[in-house]
């Protein structure tokens, strides 16, 4: 399989949770993902002192709050639907729960994607590569979701993230086949997707939660090509489309941390890295640039911990930090990351600053202080408030 072929530098203005959930589709792209290869996104997190400024912003989505209906339409409080958008278009309006003409939805029990189900329940949305199963004649195949699928036309649905995670449980899935209702403990709904099912057997899953490498490789090929899909919980859409949203006063840092944490949790298909600014003080050229604090390949929970520990205390050497990001992707040597040293009151005046050891300095020998040449192309995402 070919590798993802894109390399993007992007400045994303994250003014609320709205763009955090939508813009990530741009970085995943409409590309094929290898079974062992994820799209890579480097987040440059703004940790400058201005992030301590308080702002009034819309309160983020809370899954434990049942948001009110946006109209009197009957579907508005129907929690059995999952809605979706296809592709990475930024101008497409999110689906509405109060429009019966909006066919981009399906019944929740047909969802065999455990990664999506968990994300929907907690964060309200999920972004990944999705397929639905269809029969053409007597032979079945897993195909891309159709824009006009409608609530009752999708027979079964699954995702690449479960294949990568080697998860074949398909929890809480329930399908009616040939007049009989099957649930996820039944072998017919266990395993990972496979093409070539026969209508008489309905063997469109591998048949067991215990998976072989051959089954995983075959399932990965099911997701070859196609566009990224974002799924939405109806409660999230009611929050999103509400006319009178609750506002809160928070520091820009808190808003950024919550937004990025949500994206990290709801987009497991992406391999994230994390970068922040050096102090860039007190004189021009002092402690310039930025540094990688979480490399690609780390689990998202570890990156989330690092996001939570970020403090707003630097200037904004964005140009030099982007230069360092370029050097990181191109396999060149470190230029600015080593420069973030301690700054005591005799030099910094009213405050003291503890320099941070960049990720690459932990490596054992000087020869390895070069950025490793990455095997995959990637994107840069800058959080700016």
């Amino acid at each position: 399989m070919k590798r993802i072929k894109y390399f993007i530098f992007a400045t994303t203005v994250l003014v609320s949770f709205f763009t955090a959930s939508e813009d990530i589709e741009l970085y995943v792209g409409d590309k094929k993902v290898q079974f062992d290869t994820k799209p890579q996104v480097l987040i440059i997190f703004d940790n400058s002192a201005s992030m301590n400024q308080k702002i009034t912003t819309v309160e983020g989505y809370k899954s434990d709050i049942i948001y009110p209906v946006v109209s009197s339409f009957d579907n508005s409080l129907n929690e059995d639907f999952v809605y979706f958008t296809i592709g990475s278009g930024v101008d497409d309006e999110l689906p509405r729960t109060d429009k019966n003409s909006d066919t981009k939805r399906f019944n929740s029990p047909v969802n065999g994607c455990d990664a999506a189900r968990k994300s929907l329940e907690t964060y309200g949305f999920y972004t990944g590569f999705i397929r639905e199963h269809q029969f053409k004649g007597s032979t079945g195949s897993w195909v891309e979701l159709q824009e006009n699928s409608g609530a009752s036309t999708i027979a079964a649905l699954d995702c690449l993230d479960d294949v990568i995670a080697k998860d074949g449980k398909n929890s809480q899935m329930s399908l009616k086949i040939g007049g009989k209702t099957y649930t996820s403990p039944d072998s017919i709904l266990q395993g990972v997707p496979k093409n070539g099912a026969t209508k008489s057997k309905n063997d469109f899953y591998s048949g067991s939660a215990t998976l072989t490498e051959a089954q995983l490789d075959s399932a990965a090929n099911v997701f070859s090509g196609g566009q990224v899909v974002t799924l939405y919980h109806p409660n999230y859409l009611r929050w999103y489309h509400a006319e009178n949203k609750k506002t809160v006063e928070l520091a820009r840092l808190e808003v950024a941390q919550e937004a990025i944490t949500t994206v990290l949790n709801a987009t497991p298909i992406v391999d994230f890295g994390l970068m922040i600014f050096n102090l860039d003080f007190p004189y021009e050229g002092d402690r310039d640039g930025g540094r990688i604090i979480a490399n690609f390949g780390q689990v998202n929970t570890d990156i989330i911990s690092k996001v939570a520990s970020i403090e707003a205390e630097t200037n904004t050497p964005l140009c030099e930090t982007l230069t360092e990001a370029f050097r990181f992707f191109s396999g060149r040597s470190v230029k600015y990351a080593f420069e973030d040293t301690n700054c005591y009151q005799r030099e910094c005046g009213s405050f003291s600053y503890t320099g941070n050891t960049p990720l690459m300095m932990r490596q054992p020998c000087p020869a390895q202080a070069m950025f490793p040449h990455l095997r995959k192309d990637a994107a840069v995402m800058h959080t700016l408030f």
Side-chain angles (χ1 to χ4, degrees):
M1 288 183 278
K2 295 180 180 178
R3 294 184 296 186
I4 299 172
K5 296 294 183 183
Y6 69 90
F7 186 86
I8 305 170
F9 281 104
T11 300
T12 302
V13 181
L14 296 177
V15 295
S16 71
F17 295 94
F18 301 123
T19 49
S21 63
E22 294 177 66
D23 287 346
I24 195 62
E25 298 167 357
L26 292 172
Y27 306 108
V28 176
D30 300 340
K31 301 289 184 179
K32 181 172 71 174
V33 179
Q34 291 187 46
F35 172 50
D36 61 348
T37 303
K38 295 181 177 183
Q40 293 181 321
V41 174
L42 177 62
I43 299 170
I44 302 178
F45 195 102
D46 187 353
N47 59 315
S48 63
S50 64
M51 294 291 280
N52 285 317
Q53 179 183 341
K54 296 282 188 178
I55 59 172
T56 299
T57 185
V58 172
E59 182 181 53
Y61 173 74
K62 311 293 183 185
S63 61
D64 58 345
I65 297 175
I66 304 300
Y67 292 94
V69 296
V70 292
S71 77
S72 59
F73 184 66
D74 290 345
N75 280 343
S76 292
L77 275 176
N78 190 331
E79 302 293 271
D80 293 333
F81 289 145
V82 175
Y83 295 77
F84 63 90
T85 56
I86 299 174
S88 56
V90 296
D91 296 324
D92 295 339
E93 183 182 7
L94 266 61
R96 298 187 65 96
T97 60
D98 58 340
K99 284 187 177 180
N100 199 29
S101 59
D102 197 334
T103 58
K104 296 189 288 293
R105 66 179 189 265
F106 56 86
N107 292 311
S108 180
V110 307
N111 180 16
C113 177
D114 286 340
R117 190 178 294 278
K118 294 171 187 175
S119 183
L120 288 167
E121 290 174 354
T122 306
Y123 307 105
F125 70 96
Y126 162 85
T127 297
F129 290 89
I130 301 286
R131 292 291 185 272
E132 63 172 300
H133 188 266
Q134 290 183 355
F135 278 106
K136 188 173 183 179
S138 59
T139 303
S141 60
W142 290 84
V143 300
E144 290 187 72
L145 264 66
Q146 307 300 307
E147 290 277 1
N148 60 346
S149 289
S152 60
T153 60
I154 296 179
L157 176 147
D158 220 313
C159 64
L160 179 60
D161 275 316
D162 280 3
V163 178
I164 293 174
K166 301 181 181 181
D167 180 358
K169 296 185 293 295
N170 304 323
S171 304
Q172 302 179 44
M173 197 175 189
S174 176
L175 298 182
K176 192 170 184 177
I177 303 174
K180 181 179 178 180
T181 299
Y182 295 88
T183 58
S184 50
D186 296 318
S187 61
I188 194 173
L189 299 184
Q190 290 276 289
V192 289
K194 72 171 190 176
N195 286 327
T198 58
K199 207 163 189 178
S200 59
K201 294 181 179 179
N202 283 292
D203 51 344
F204 46 85
Y205 276 111
S206 57
S208 172
T210 303
L211 305 169
T212 66
E213 290 302 315
Q215 289 171 336
L216 290 168
D217 288 340
S218 176
N221 287 327
V222 165
F223 296 90
S224 176
Q227 301 185 83
V228 65
V229 174
T230 299
L231 307 182
Y232 301 95
H233 194 286
N235 196 42
Y236 179 91
L237 293 174
R238 293 195 299 270
W239 166 80
Y240 180 91
H241 289 296
E243 293 183 359
N244 298 309
K245 298 180 179 69
K246 180 180 178 181
T247 59
V248 292
E249 187 177 81
L250 295 171
R252 291 177 173 180
L253 178 68
E254 294 176 278
V255 179
Q257 287 170 324
E258 191 169 350
I260 292 300
T261 296
T262 298
V263 169
L264 286 165
N265 279 312
T267 319
I269 194 61
V270 172
D271 184 9
F272 287 99
L274 182 63
M275 192 173 193
I276 59 176
F277 298 137
N278 291 338
L279 180 61
D280 189 31
F281 188 81
Y283 304 110
E284 179 65 30
D286 288 353
R287 301 172 180 87
D288 221 342
R291 61 196 181 279
I292 305 291
I293 62 171
N295 202 352
F296 295 123
Q298 292 186 230
V299 295
N300 281 359
T301 51
D302 289 344
I303 302 176
I304 289 167
S305 295
K306 292 181 182 294
V307 169
S309 68
I310 292 174
E311 298 180 1
E313 53 185 351
T314 71
N315 284 315
T316 315
L318 179 57
C319 182
E320 296 87 351
T321 302
L322 286 172
T323 298
E324 193 80 325
F326 169 76
R327 299 179 71 87
F328 173 65
F329 284 130
S330 60
R332 300 185 186 185
S333 60
V334 173
K335 182 173 179 63
Y336 295 108
F338 295 153
E339 296 185 8
D340 196 53
T341 58
N342 295 342
C343 190
Y344 302 106
Q345 287 188 355
R346 63 177 180 270
E347 182 182 4
C348 282
S350 61
F351 70 98
S352 295
Y353 173 83
T354 302
N356 290 274
T357 302
L359 183 68
M360 295 305 168
M361 286 187 71
R362 300 186 189 129
Q363 299 188 21
C365 68
Q368 290 178 312
M370 299 284 286
F371 289 131
H373 187 73
L374 302 181
R375 294 184 300 110
K376 304 178 282 293
D377 298 323
V380 177
M381 179 177 178
H382 173 232
T383 66
L384 177 64
F385 282 74

